[in-house]
Amino acid sequence: MTTNNEQQLATLALKIKDWGQQLGFAHIGISDTDLTVAENHLHHWLARDFHGEMDYMQRHGSKRSRPALLHEGTLRVISVRMDYLPEPRETMNQLLADSTAAYISRYALGRDYHKMMRNRLQKLIDNIQMEIALLPNANSTMRAFVDSAPVLEKAIAEKAGLGWIGKHSNLINRQAGSWFFLGEIYTNLPLPIDNKATAHCGECRACLDICPTQAIVAPYQVDARRCVSYLTIELHSAIPEPLRPLIGNRIYGCDDCQIICPWNRFAKLTAEKDFNPRHQLNSQQLLTVFTWSEAEFLAKTEGSAIRRIGYERWLRNIAVALGNAPASPLIIEALKAKLDHAAELVKEHVLWALAQQHKSLLISNNV
Ligand code: B12
Ligand code: SF4
């Protein structure tokens, strides 16, 4: 194959999009590798320490913003998105309004997306390679990523036309909202590129205003150290005390900036059975999940992204949510039962939650 044969490459690009859709991707686009603008934003974000404890965000030098440094010879990136929303917005609002219920981010209710999407991308690579093998002078390299390596996934997807980066910093598609995952294939094939998506946030700032911890410190800039998603998933140590009351009943991640976004009125529910909620993770009570033993936690989160936070951080997060729940003797009893937990991290959050419960009890008794 002569890689400079534009007609062949244009036909191949169309086939890639077709195969991608057959593999369950809602949108497939192609971008070049010039991420200069995003690189500047990344440096600014890191310089302000917005990444907190996520050392991996600064560990890889320029590899994150220069695709050819991560995968030699990369000229193009095939960017894909896959919808994951398992149920409508109303159910999320109901859960968030019930402070005895456990709110888990919608992306984590079903099977972990990383491996599943990477397998699909690998199938797409296989298709491309079979097609190219039929042509003379085949010489291509391809590598799939799904949040698995230093890749600026949103900036790439924006360039590939999949959507624009909203003020909450997630990628939004005009027809489908933002409830989707991203993945990519880096390749040396000089495929024709798609047009960058245009932005449509306009004057809206609903996500900045609704954020429970005011983590979107300016449009397009998330201070991860304040983001509930970071505090409940990425942070290994204690959750800073001033932020605990703001977390409410969110025990794994946060969706508020996406729930409020007007573009999510157009979001479609996922067609992937794998993303449907498992073990009623979409409708659990805080007290129920707090009393799960470690073995139960491991069994009920098997194959889910939740598992990676481990049992101690799971208990830490639920303790905070119980501290934020209305005063209740049952909650106090459950918290007391965990006071002898071996991990200092758990004990300290349980003590904090007990103090909160006692405070609300005094207030509700008008003392
Ligand atoms: C680190 C990380 C986090 C961190 C930090 C978030 C962040 N905004 O960076 C934390 C733990 C907080 C997080 C949370 C979430 N994440 Co996350 N996360 C990532 C990860 C690994 C890297 C993101 C990154 O590069 N950050 C670096 C900073 C610099 O980028 P940025 O904030 O996006 O800023 C960009 C723009 O806003 C702009 N910009 C920045 N500053 C400025 C300043 C000005 C003036 C302007 C104009 C522009 C601008 O340029 C930047 C580069 O393009 C990606 C996977 C990947 N490899 O890309 C997933 C990823 C972004 N996360 C994802 C998801 C689903 C989430 C959550 C929704 C999960 C949840 N429900 O809890 C939340 C959303 C919270 C939020 N509002 O961001 C998806 C997003 C899919 C989508 N539709 O966009 C991704 C792509 C994973 C995936 N493969 O699907 N995440
Ligand atoms: S809520 Fe408004 S400002 Fe935020 S991402 Fe959506 S449209 Fe943009």
Side-chain angles (χ1 to χ4, degrees):
M1 175 181 183
T2 49
T3 48
N4 60 1
N5 183 325
E6 285 177 17
Q7 191 48 50
Q8 277 180 335
L9 287 164
T11 309
L12 180 59
L14 288 176
K15 287 188 175 177
I16 291 171
K17 290 171 187 177
D18 205 28
W19 293 324
Q21 295 212 327
Q22 288 168 29
L23 286 164
F25 297 117
H27 196 152
I28 301 99
I30 299 166
S31 80
D32 64 22
T33 57
D34 178 6
L35 300 172
T36 319
V37 178
E39 182 178 67
N40 287 337
H41 291 314
L42 172 66
H43 288 164
H44 182 68
W45 188 78
L46 291 170
R48 295 182 74 186
D49 279 336
F50 282 175
H51 58 294
E53 278 185 7
M54 296 180 292
D55 281 345
Y56 60 86
M57 287 303 298
Q58 57 173 10
R59 207 181 291 140
H60 305 279
S62 298
K63 279 188 184 161
R64 188 172 291 274
S65 47
R66 301 188 187 182
L69 294 182
L70 179 64
H71 183 65
E72 212 185 318
T74 299
L75 290 175
R76 297 287 185 265
V77 185
I78 302 166
S79 174
V80 302
R81 67 172 188 84
M82 186 178 270
D83 296 325
Y84 64 75
L85 188 66
E87 45 185 30
R89 184 187 341 214
E90 298 73 58
T91 54
M92 302 185 240
N93 286 330
Q94 277 161 19
L95 269 179
L96 285 168
D98 175 2
S99 40
T100 61
Y103 187 86
I104 294 175
S105 275
R106 303 297 92 176
Y107 88 88
L109 296 174
R111 182 178 166 195
D112 191 349
Y113 65 99
H114 294 88
K115 208 166 142 203
M116 182 263 213
M117 277 181 69
R118 233 183 10 255
N119 288 344
R120 303 267 182 105
L121 284 174
Q122 194 50 53
K123 285 191 185 140
L124 186 53
I125 291 180
D126 294 345
N127 281 346
I128 301 170
Q129 264 162 352
M130 265 193 306
E131 180 80 11
I132 294 171
L134 300 174
L135 302 162
N137 307 322
N139 174 24
S140 72
T141 64
M142 269 170 271
R143 198 168 149 198
F145 302 104
V146 180
D147 195 4
S148 49
V151 174
L152 276 177
E153 298 194 306
K154 294 180 282 186
I156 288 169
E158 187 175 55
K159 286 201 88 177
L162 268 54
W164 75 97
I165 296 178
K167 290 182 189 171
H168 50 26
S169 93
N170 297 304
L171 198 83
I172 310 174
N173 179 284
R174 226 178 154 169
Q175 277 81 40
S178 64
W179 302 103
F180 51 78
F181 300 119
L182 295 173
E184 345 15 71
I185 296 172
Y186 280 20
T187 179
N188 65 347
L189 291 169
L191 296 160
I193 57 173
D194 289 296
N195 291 328
K196 187 179 173 208
T198 50
H200 300 279
C201 282
E203 296 301 308
C204 176
R205 46 170 291 126
C207 52
L208 286 93
D209 296 336
I210 200 83
C211 175
T213 50
Q214 296 296 290
I216 311 173
V217 293
Y220 315 103
Q221 296 184 54
V222 174
D223 181 349
R225 295 168 303 179
R226 295 189 67 84
C227 178
V228 177
S229 185
Y230 169 84
L231 296 169
T232 55
I233 304 173
E234 300 291 334
L235 182 68
H236 287 251
S237 49
I239 298 175
E241 273 196 45
L243 297 177
R244 292 181 197 176
L246 310 178
I247 290 177
N249 63 345
R250 299 165 189 82
I251 64 163
Y252 187 94
C254 177
D255 291 326
D256 288 34
C257 59
Q258 298 194 87
I259 296 172
I260 198 75
C261 180
W263 290 102
N264 272 331
R265 285 198 301 257
F266 306 108
K268 292 180 188 65
L269 295 187
T270 183
E272 294 295 334
K273 284 200 187 75
D274 274 345
F275 295 149
N276 286 343
R278 296 174 168 187
H279 303 288
Q280 291 93 44
L281 287 169
N282 56 334
S283 58
Q284 292 284 356
Q285 286 292 301
L286 288 171
L287 271 178
T288 313
V289 290
F290 195 57
T291 50
W292 282 355
S293 65
E294 183 161 12
E296 271 176 293
F297 166 76
L298 291 174
K300 293 192 199 267
T301 57
E302 195 175 351
S304 138
I306 301 173
R307 223 188 206 207
R308 77 187 179 94
I309 67 167
Y311 187 53
E312 284 171 16
R313 284 193 274 157
W314 172 252
L315 291 179
R316 173 199 68 180
N317 296 349
I318 306 169
V320 169
L322 287 171
N324 294 331
S328 136
L330 281 178
I331 293 182
I332 293 178
E333 202 182 306
L335 286 166
K336 281 187 176 157
K338 287 276 188 294
L339 271 177
D340 61 351
H341 195 279
E344 197 43 50
L345 181 75
V346 176
K347 259 194 281 190
E348 187 267 313
H349 286 76
V350 166
L351 276 171
W352 176 85
L354 275 170
Q356 293 295 109
Q357 278 284 319
H358 286 304
K359 243 191 264 170
S360 348
L361 207 59
L362 291 179
I363 294 169
S364 60
N365 289 340
N366 247 339
V367 181

